[in-house]
């Protein structure tokens, strides 16, 4: 019997939340913020239900974690597990939260921010604490692709379904 690692467990929690979003007709994107091995905040995409474009899973999870009033050191100790590579807006939110780590399942070539921020050169003198979190991708990638496959099968034609189809071919 294989014992799941802590990162696998946390990503599976994000994937389960993404399945719940999919069941509600949303894109299967979800995120959890983890501190000391415990999920302290969660979020799922809600763009369709709330009819707004900024209903991103990572942003929702980070906003909830932000309300907990964590110290700077505790924020640096936190990790964000997300089913899809964060976009530039969500990456900026993670940096503004002073998050320590981002772990994502599936890359998003069309709008993912990892390649963009890896080339960022910060000036230590400007804001010493502001820096890029550690980033790891590909954890339970196939499971995330599977969720997007179910989204494509159940969604009406349109730009979001077309975009989701591109992720399935990765």
């Amino acid at each position: 019997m294989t014992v799941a690692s802590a990162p696998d467990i946390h990503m599976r929690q994000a994937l389960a939340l993404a399945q719940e979003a999919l069941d509600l007709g949303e894109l299967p994107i979800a995120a959890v913020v983890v501190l000391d091995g415990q999920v302290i905040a969660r979020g799922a995409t809600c763009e369709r239900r709330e009819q707004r474009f900024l209903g991103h899973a990572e942003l929702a999870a980070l906003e909830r974690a932000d309300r907990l009033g964590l110290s700077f050191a505790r924020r640096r100790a936190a990790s964000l597990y997300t089913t899809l590579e964060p976009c530039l807006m969500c990456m900026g939110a993670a940096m503004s939260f002073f998050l320590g780590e981002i772990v994502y399942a599936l890359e998003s070539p069309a709008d993912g921010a990892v390649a963009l921020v890896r080339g960022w050169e910060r000036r230590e003198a400007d804001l010493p604490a502001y820096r890029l979190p550690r980033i790891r991708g590909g954890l339970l990638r196939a499971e995330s692709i599977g969720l997007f496959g179910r989204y494509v099968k159940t969604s009406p034609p349109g730009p979001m379904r077309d975009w989701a189809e591109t992720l399935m071919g990765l």
Side-chain angles (χ1 to χ4, degrees), residues 50 80 86 89:
E50 295 185 8
L80 176 75
M89 175 182 68

Side-chain angles (χ1 to χ4, degrees), residues 4-125:
S5 68
D8 282 2
I9 291 168
H10 300 313
M11 187 60 77
R12 287 194 190 287
Q13 291 170 315
L15 288 162
L17 189 57
Q19 178 63 58
E20 291 175 23
L22 180 60
D23 292 344
L24 294 171
E26 296 287 353
L27 284 163
I29 306 169
V32 297
V33 178
V34 175
L35 182 62
D36 298 331
Q38 301 296 316
V39 172
I40 62 167
R42 8 180 303 152
T45 191
C46 59
E47 293 175 337
R48 195 177 266 179
R49 284 188 322 271
E50 295 185 8
Q51 297 182 358
R52 59 191 191 95
F53 290 110
L54 300 182
H56 291 209
E58 301 88 349
L59 193 57
L62 289 166
E63 285 176 344
R64 288 179 180 110
D66 192 39
R67 290 186 194 115
L68 298 175
L70 301 172
S71 70
F72 176 77
R74 302 299 286 151
R75 290 167 183 261
R76 276 274 174 238
S79 297
L80 176 75
Y81 288 80
T82 180
T83 59
L84 188 69
E85 175 185 352
C87 70
L88 192 55
M89 175 182 68
C90 293
M91 183 67 73
M95 292 172 69
S96 294
F97 181 83
F98 299 105
L99 188 72
E101 177 183 43
I102 295 172
V103 181
Y104 64 90
L106 178 61
E107 65 274 15
S108 183
D111 65 344
V114 171
L116 292 170
V117 297
R118 283 212 167 123
W120 176 57
E121 294 183 26
R122 71 182 182 97
R123 290 179 28 170
E124 181 84 23

